[in-house]
């Protein structure tokens, strides 16, 4: 079975959404420590920091996605945003590249790393 690739922007957005849910879960766990004010305060603050962290990540990826290159996927025809030399379509997960030297090669996300691009 082939490995399913996902778009980098969608991966980062999923990470930010998971931070929101983790933060809410940590704050909910804090309710069980009502007898210990210090433990409840620590869990509430930790959960709050997770939610604030997700806000920072959402803001960062929003600013980053305004500077990305928009391409039309040859498979599904949908407009997608690309980060780096290789990425996957946001709609159909088709591997995409703008680098002519990588066309026809096996899709590998390590092509976006600086050390791999020099080889």
């Amino acid at each position: 079975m082939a490995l399913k690739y996902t778009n980098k922007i969608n991966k980062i957005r999923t990470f930010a959404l998971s931070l929101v849910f983790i933060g809410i879960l940590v704050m909910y766990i804090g309710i069980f420590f009502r007898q210990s004010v210090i433990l409840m305060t620590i869990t509430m603050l930790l959960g709050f920091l997770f939610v604030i962290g997700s806000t920072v990540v959402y803001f960062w990826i929003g600013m980053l996605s305004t500077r990305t290159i928009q391409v039309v996927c040859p498979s599904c025809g949908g407009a997608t945003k690309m980060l780096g030399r290789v990425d996957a379509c946001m709609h159909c997960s088709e591997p995409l590249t703008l680098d002519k030297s990588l066309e026809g090669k096996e899709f590998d996300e390590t092509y976006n790393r600086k050390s791999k691009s020099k080889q």
Side-chain angles (χ1 to χ4, degrees):
M1 185 166 105
L3 190 63
K4 181 144 171 106
Y5 300 105
T6 58
N7 186 273
K8 288 184 208 72
I9 292 176
N10 287 344
K11 282 182 189 177
I12 297 169
R13 286 179 181 157
T14 302
F15 172 71
L17 183 63
S18 66
L19 280 178
V20 170
F21 287 124
I22 289 170
I24 291 172
L25 180 69
V26 168
M27 286 190 275
Y28 185 74
I29 289 170
I31 293 173
F32 295 113
F33 298 115
R34 276 184 267 182
Q35 285 73 27
S36 174
V37 176
I38 299 215
L39 277 177
M40 187 178 84
T41 305
I42 288 172
T43 56
M44 291 293 174
L45 287 175
L46 189 63
F48 179 70
L49 288 176
F50 277 118
V51 173
I52 293 300
S54 75
T55 305
V56 170
V57 172
Y58 270 124
F59 180 76
W60 171 68
I61 195 61
M63 296 307 295
L64 190 65
S65 69
T66 61
R67 296 182 292 148
T68 58
I69 299 169
Q70 285 193 355
V71 296
V72 176
C73 177
S75 293
C76 68
T80 186
K81 296 178 179 182
M82 282 189 61
L83 283 177
R85 294 172 67 195
V86 294
D87 205 351
C89 176
M90 288 180 160
H91 308 288
C92 66
S93 298
E94 176 76 21
L96 301 171
T97 184
L98 292 175
D99 193 352
K100 298 289 183 190
S101 65
L102 297 177
E103 287 182 3
K105 291 185 178 180
E106 185 67 29
F107 183 78
D108 190 5
E109 291 181 352
T110 59
Y111 288 134
N112 291 325
R113 296 190 185 126
K114 299 244 186 243
S115 61
K116 183 78 172 182
S117 64
K118 291 180 182 177
Q119 293 175 349

